[in-house]
Amino acid sequence: KQEVTQIPAALSVPEGENLVLNCSFTDSAIYNLQWFRQDPGKGLTSLLLIQSSQREQTSGRLNASLDKSSGRSTLYIAASQPGDSATYLCAVLNAGNMLTFGGGTRLMVKP
Amino acid sequence: DVKVTQSSRYLVKRTGEKVFLECVQDMDHENMFWYRQDPGLGLRLIYFSYDVKMKEKGDIPEGYSVSREKKERFSLILESASTNQTSMYLCASSGAGTTDTQYFGPGTRLTVL
């Protein structure tokens, strides 16, 4: 059974720092990996989707990489801002069209 | 823009009541999903549907059923609500391909007393 782990569980940084969130998964037979953002009490918003054949995707200040063979992904956030404060979730798509989610990293960016 | 709406943001029910949570999407998506989210346990899939009248069990289907009579609407039913079903419920929809991301609704926070 696929398991997804995110480290760290929580992170607090000063505004302007570059930061990296980590995600690891146990079964490399994935179709894609996705990063989501969740604000408190709200639903999830898709940030980036990396196909299993791709190595990375970029959107603005966000860059996600995927190393399928080692079961790892990172989400890099450049020049962090207070508005980036949220929980970041990674999820992998397996056969059967089901997403398996990690536990999330709660990010606080302090002004 | 894709829109996924859920019938209620907050709901309070009594133990033993029958509860309906409704989800509607406006993008003609084939797939629809129901998750619950609990502190320390993360997001867990309850059921999903890949077509009208079709459903598949997720990780935690016990105590729940679903209905998809129309493509745009996916309902989650708690036949007899219990206190351990107090949770945040999230609906999502997506296209059928592996390049399609899931779009989430705002969530329903259900409290069962």
Side-chain angles (χ1 to χ4, degrees):
Chain A
K1 185 186 172 188
Q2 178 75 268
E3 290 182 8
V4 181
T5 304
Q6 291 186 246
I7 294 173
L11 183 63
S12 181
V13 300
E15 182 176 5
E17 270 204 12
N18 302 324
L19 56 100
V20 174
L21 308 182
N22 296 292
C23 173
S24 61
F25 48 95
T26 55
D27 183 354
S28 62
I30 65 170
Y31 290 113
N32 66 47
L33 183 142
Q34 301 176 45
W35 283 93
F36 293 88
R37 169 187 171 134
Q38 185 177 30
D39 293 292
K42 303 281 180 67
L44 280 65
T45 301
S46 178
L47 297 172
L48 291 164
L49 183 153
I50 312 176
Q51 291 297 316
S52 62
S53 58
Q54 296 175 323
R55 298 284 292 185
E56 66 178 341
Q57 281 287 339
T58 298
S59 175
R61 293 183 294 108
L62 305 180
N63 175 276
S65 68
L66 173 64
D67 184 342
K68 204 174 77 153
S69 61
S70 68
R72 293 172 192 266
S73 175
T74 61
L75 179 67
Y76 175 82
I77 302 177
S80 58
Q81 303 170 359
D84 295 330
S85 298
T87 297
Y88 291 81
L89 295 148
C90 78
V92 296
L93 185 69
N94 300 111
N97 232 335
M98 297 196 203
L99 277 177
T100 302
F101 284 85
T105 294
R106 194 169 62 253
L107 172 66
M108 172 73 72
V109 181
K110 294 180 284 189
Chain B
D1 269 357
V2 175
K3 195 160 186 186
V4 180
T5 57
Q6 294 184 229
S7 49
S8 305
R9 290 300 312 275
Y10 300 94
L11 208 52
V12 180
K13 296 291 182 180
R14 298 255 175 225
T15 302
E17 280 193 74
K18 190 168 186 175
V19 182
F20 293 86
L21 303 182
E22 298 223 310
C23 175
V24 178
Q25 51 97 0
D26 66 357
M27 281 301 292
D28 202 36
H29 282 161
E30 288 81 2
N31 298 331
M32 295 189 75
F33 307 83
W34 275 106
Y35 297 88
R36 65 177 282 178
Q37 187 175 31
D38 302 286
L41 295 175
L43 265 155
R44 294 177 292 168
L45 181 66
I46 304 171
Y47 269 99
F48 82 96
S49 167
Y50 53 90
D51 201 350
V52 175
K53 296 191 188 295
M54 306 303 289
K55 61 185 179 185
E56 291 283 344
K57 292 180 181 179
D59 297 319
I60 49 164
E62 297 79 18
Y64 302 95
S65 62
V66 290
S67 171
R68 193 167 180 201
E69 297 296 319
K70 293 185 177 181
K71 192 174 185 180
E72 67 271 18
R73 189 179 297 268
F74 191 35
S75 300
L76 180 69
I77 303 152
L78 288 65
E79 294 288 343
S80 178
S82 63
T83 55
N84 63 13
Q85 292 178 309
T86 292
S87 186
M88 169 72 104
Y89 289 87
L90 292 162
C91 174
S93 72
S94 77
T98 60
T99 59
D100 295 306
T101 191
Q102 290 188 16
Y103 294 89
F104 281 78
T108 296
R109 183 162 296 283
L110 173 67
T111 302
V112 183
L113 301 174

